[in-house]
Amino acid sequence: VETLLCDRAEEEDLQRALGELDARSHRVLVARFYHGKRLWEVAEKLGITRERVRQIEAAALRRLRRILSKQE
């Protein structure tokens, strides 16, 4: 039960942190990590290059880490 509560708390923290990202960064991370899309699939959907998706993803992950570290 304790593990389940910790998992839920972590999921809530992650959802809050995702909500602080700009819309494009949020879409990229959700597509990549929740829906398992590949870089080229996200790029095609958003009408940008695969390299740009990679850049947005990297920046969004850095921002997410900063947000989550502040929540601790």
Side-chain angles (χ1 to χ4, degrees), residues 28-29 52-63 65:
V28 166
L29 291 186
R52 185 64 186 130
V53 171
R54 190 197 61 73
Q55 292 168 354
I56 293 167
E57 177 184 307
L61 288 172
R62 283 191 302 272
R63 173 118 170 90
R65 285 186 198 102

Side-chain angles (χ1 to χ4, degrees), residues 2-42:
E2 187 174 315
T3 302
L4 183 60
L5 291 176
C6 287
D7 289 346
R8 280 193 184 139
E10 289 173 0
E11 178 66 24
E12 288 172 6
D13 289 345
L14 180 57
Q15 290 302 320
R16 266 193 299 279
L18 281 169
E20 292 188 35
L21 298 176
D22 63 272
R24 181 178 265 185
S25 296
H26 184 269
R27 278 195 304 266
V28 166
L29 291 186
V30 168
R32 292 279 289 139
F33 297 105
Y34 279 86
H35 300 295
K37 300 293 183 186
R38 295 176 182 224
L39 287 172
W40 68 267
E41 292 173 308
V42 179

Side-chain angles (χ1 to χ4, degrees), residues 40-52:
W40 68 267
E41 292 173 308
V42 179
E44 193 172 90
K45 182 176 180 174
L46 296 179
I48 58 179
T49 65
R50 185 189 68 78
E51 177 61 20
R52 185 64 186 130

